[in-house]
Amino acid sequence: MTSVDATIGQRRDKRKASASSHLPDAHKAAENVVEKVNVTALVLQTTASLLWIPQAGLLSISVGTIAAGAGFHAALWPTLGIFLLGALRAIADGAGARLAFRDARSRLSGMREKAVETAASASPLDTGRAASGLVASTLAEQAEAVVPYVAKFRPARFKAMIVPLVILACVFALSWTAALILLVAAPLIPIFMALVGWRAKEASERQLAEMGDMNAFLLDRLRGLATIRSFGAVDGTAIRLRRNAEDLRRRTMAVLRIAFLSSAVLELFSALGVAMVAVYVGFHLLGELDFGAWGGKLSLAQGLFILLLSPAFFEPLRELSAVWHDRASGKAALEALQKLAAPGRPLPDALSAAPLAQAETPALSVTVEDLRFRFNEDPLVFDAFSLDVKPGERIALLAPSGGGKSTLLALLAGLAKADAGTIRIGGEPMQERTAAKLRSQIAWVSQEPHLFAGTLLSNITLGRPLEAATVEKAIAAARLAPLAAARGNIPIGENGLGLSGGEALRLALARAAASPGTGLILADEPTAHLDSTTASGITQTLLDISVGRTLIVATHDPELASRMDRVIVLGQPAIQRSRP
């Protein structure tokens, strides 16, 4: 299509209901993403943590040898071994962290791409699709929480399962009492961490949802800023925005409080565990406690070895606690991405594009047979609806608001797939394999066309390789020549800033006129909200550019409808008129 300016309203409650229906799948997908972490990264980081065991052993032997009366020369080889193991440990840990980060970034890019494809392929008639502000917030801001979740949480969890067991085995080989102390203190940490973690995840989900709603609200109000000013609602909007910002601040602080609480709980129990081991070893070496060692009594080297390993026993658990908040935020972000990527009502053949026809296309016929369509679980909009439009005919569609005029145009344009029935454009059925080709022969004119920041010429061509003569002809047909001469290369602001409503509509008509391959023009309320003089000019321009093409207009304007060949009141017989 030469221009797609879909302005069909979205229903927020339907979006939330649709999103909640995908929650189980989102939870499962989030877990699958974390499970598929680079194995090499896990092995390298776990190995780096385990290398502390031989380092501690060499350090304990050196101190024990020196305390026994040997000279400092006896510690040279152990010192060299400690240095080499430290270098190897740093290299392994750094390489593992880099691999995990790159893998996480790659996975996030893939999920973002899938979510963008789903959002881009969503039909304008899909009432369950997410608001654009929420999509932008999720993809740009919330999604970044996935990287620390994937890159840090799984390695930390893997190390927490392996490293403490290995260290416990090493300690148990020297003292069953010290091992028992560690064994008793260890389970308290994950228990309290899990309790705090459930609360953290819930708070993170609420905080991310609040952030998405706030971004959607802000984008919606920025788009309607002119309307807000005209109705004197600026102060009310500012007050509501301030209230939303305050709610977001409170939720963010709640998440941070939970994160600090989990860290404090872990530090308390790990400090108590290390302190209890230190007390036992100290009294044992002093001879106050003569039990707990397999060999009768621990030597200085053995006691120091146990003391060096005790903090390392809790280190993986402390690291896991540090990334537990990342887990809560990342899991909520993952589920938000999965919801965006969940299929809704897709745009038929959305991701393929047929080349735009450069030759003149004859007027296209339109045939609708037994059309059936509804929005999700709403009542039927069309049930066994039929329509036959001859090539070059001009049709006006009339119906009350919500009567299905815009919906019918969207179905004819291939912006949604009918539940049943057949739509033929130029005798060719609108199907998945033909939708892109047929859309390239259709022009869409909306009552609120989207205009991009750029020159008048770029907003007409939209990047299409059009000949200069064709563009000049389209400008003349749309009666834009005076505006083009006045503006020259002066850029237009985003969304038509600097143009009147009539000028913006003429620009949309010029887009349609500039396409030689257009055989069908669909216009949705082109004269709505215009004064009578401007509406009359737009009507005449629409008739001029539709010469040799089929025209179907959805309108409430009786003057525009009177200029058509036929007026079809949806649900009533068509009214025939002679061509003006």
Side-chain angles (χ1 to χ4, degrees):
M1 295 176 65
T2 59
S3 173
V4 179
D5 300 302
T7 57
I8 300 173
Q10 300 178 350
R11 305 177 185 181
R12 184 173 179 181
D13 54 342
K14 291 291 182 83
R15 288 200 308 264
K16 291 185 176 180
S18 176
S20 63
S21 65
H22 298 293
L23 276 176
D25 293 337
H27 282 289
K28 184 176 180 181
E31 291 295 340
N32 290 338
V33 169
V34 182
E35 291 301 324
K36 298 177 181 178
V37 178
N38 192 301
V39 176
T40 305
L42 294 181
V43 172
L44 286 173
Q45 293 187 67
T46 304
T47 302
S49 298
L50 291 175
L51 285 176
W52 171 243
I53 297 176
Q55 275 189 296
L58 291 175
L59 181 59
S60 302
I61 292 172
S62 300
V63 173
T65 302
I66 295 173
F72 284 100
H73 63 277
L76 291 179
W77 287 109
T79 302
L80 179 61
I82 293 171
F83 174 78
L84 294 177
L85 287 172
L88 182 60
R89 183 183 180 189
I91 293 172
D93 189 57
R98 283 193 297 271
L99 285 176
F101 177 81
R102 291 172 183 171
D103 183 68
R105 179 59 64 181
S106 175
R107 292 180 187 279
L108 175 58
S109 298
M111 288 184 288
R112 271 178 167 156
E113 182 178 355
K114 184 177 179 181
V116 168
E117 289 178 357
T118 302
S121 64
S123 168
L125 301 185
D126 184 7
T127 57
R129 63 176 181 163
S132 56
L134 178 60
V135 173
S137 173
T138 301
L139 293 177
E141 299 176 12
Q142 300 177 22
E144 286 299 320
V146 172
V147 174
Y149 174 38
V150 177
K152 296 180 180 179
F153 176 72
R154 177 67 193 281
R157 187 178 67 177
F158 188 76
K159 286 193 289 186
M161 292 188 298
I162 301 299
V163 175
L165 294 178
V166 176
I167 292 178
L168 186 66
C170 294
V171 173
F172 183 76
L174 298 176
S175 172
W176 60 266
T177 301
L180 182 61
I181 294 173
L182 296 177
L183 188 62
V184 170
L188 297 175
I189 297 173
I191 290 174
F192 280 91
M193 194 164 54
L195 293 175
V196 175
W198 290 333
R199 178 67 176 171
K201 182 177 181 297
E202 180 182 344
S204 295
E205 289 177 345
R206 289 199 301 267
Q207 190 253 2
L208 291 178
E210 184 74 21
M211 184 181 297
D213 289 343
M214 182 178 176
N215 285 333
F217 172 81
L218 180 60
L219 181 59
D220 180 69
R221 295 310 183 270
L222 288 175
R223 286 174 172 172
L225 192 57
T227 304
I228 293 173
R229 286 177 175 174
S230 63
F231 282 94
V234 175
D235 293 339
T237 302
I239 291 172
R240 182 176 175 184
L241 183 61
R242 187 180 301 112
R243 185 168 59 249
N244 290 348
E246 182 64 21
D247 291 341
L248 179 61
R249 183 192 67 81
R250 284 198 298 266
R251 294 185 186 279
T252 302
M253 294 306 297
V255 173
L256 292 177
R257 282 196 300 270
I258 295 171
F260 288 133
L261 174 62
S262 61
S263 299
V265 169
L266 179 62
E267 291 295 335
L268 173 62
F269 285 104
S270 61
L272 288 175
V274 173
M276 291 173 66
V277 172
V279 168
Y280 165 75
V281 172
F283 278 102
H284 184 88
L285 294 177
L286 291 174
E288 298 295 331
L289 299 176
D290 56 356
F291 63 90
W294 297 110
K297 187 176 181 180
L298 294 174
S299 65
L300 176 61
Q302 292 174 334
L304 181 59
F305 181 66
I306 293 174
L307 288 176
L308 290 175
L309 290 186
S310 295
F313 175 84
F314 293 101
E315 185 62 30
L317 299 176
R318 296 174 63 186
E319 184 178 346
L320 183 61
S321 175
V323 299
W324 197 260
H325 176 65
D326 293 330
R327 172 187 179 274
S329 301
K331 202 167 185 178
L334 265 177
E335 291 169 6
L337 283 173
Q338 293 296 334
K339 291 174 189 176
L340 290 183
R345 184 186 289 274
L347 185 67
D349 202 21
L351 299 181
S352 62
L356 294 174
Q358 297 300 318
E360 289 288 345
T361 299
L364 299 173
S365 62
V366 177
T367 303
V368 180
E369 298 176 352
D370 298 326
L371 180 66
R372 184 183 178 91
F373 180 81
R374 72 170 63 193
F375 294 100
N376 298 327
E377 301 300 325
D378 287 356
L380 286 169
V381 180
F382 297 106
D383 188 10
F385 176 79
S386 297
L387 175 67
D388 189 14
V389 181
K390 298 177 182 178
E393 195 173 10
R394 299 167 178 171
I395 302 296
L397 301 177
L398 295 181
S401 296
K405 302 186 302 299
S406 298
T407 302
L408 180 57
L409 292 185
L411 289 168
L412 295 179
L415 298 180
K417 184 177 180 181
D419 297 333
T422 304
I423 297 176
R424 290 186 175 88
I425 307 295
E428 191 166 0
M430 178 69 74
Q431 298 174 344
E432 190 76 22
R433 59 183 179 83
T434 62
K437 174 186 174 183
L438 293 177
R439 279 198 295 267
S440 69
Q441 303 173 38
I442 301 173
W444 179 291
V445 179
S446 170
Q447 60 176 308
E448 295 180 358
H450 183 80
L451 304 181
F452 300 92
T455 63
L456 192 73
L457 181 62
S458 65
N459 269 279
I460 295 175
T461 60
L462 295 177
R464 298 171 291 173
L466 300 176
E467 296 180 358
T470 301
V471 177
E472 291 178 2
K473 183 179 178 181
I475 291 176
R479 295 176 173 82
L480 276 177
L483 179 64
R487 296 193 67 91
N489 291 325
I490 299 176
I492 298 171
E494 182 69 24
N495 209 22
L497 183 64
L499 298 182
S500 66
E503 290 171 339
L505 275 170
R506 291 188 183 279
L507 186 51
L509 293 173
R511 289 175 178 175
S515 301
T518 298
L520 171 63
I521 298 177
L522 304 175
D524 186 12
E525 299 280 3
T527 60
H529 313 302
L530 298 178
D531 61 82
S532 58
T533 302
T534 305
S536 179
I538 292 296
T539 298
Q540 186 58 51
T541 302
L542 185 61
L543 293 173
D544 291 343
I545 69 170
S546 65
V547 173
R549 296 165 173 171
T550 305
L551 174 64
I552 300 179
V553 181
T555 183
H556 285 108
D557 186 353
E559 179 182 348
L560 174 59
S562 68
R563 305 288 297 275
M564 300 294 105
D565 300 336
R566 276 194 296 162
V567 176
I568 298 177
V569 181
L570 296 183
Q572 299 181 16
I575 303 173
Q576 301 286 343
R577 300 187 186 278
S578 59
R579 183 182 294 274

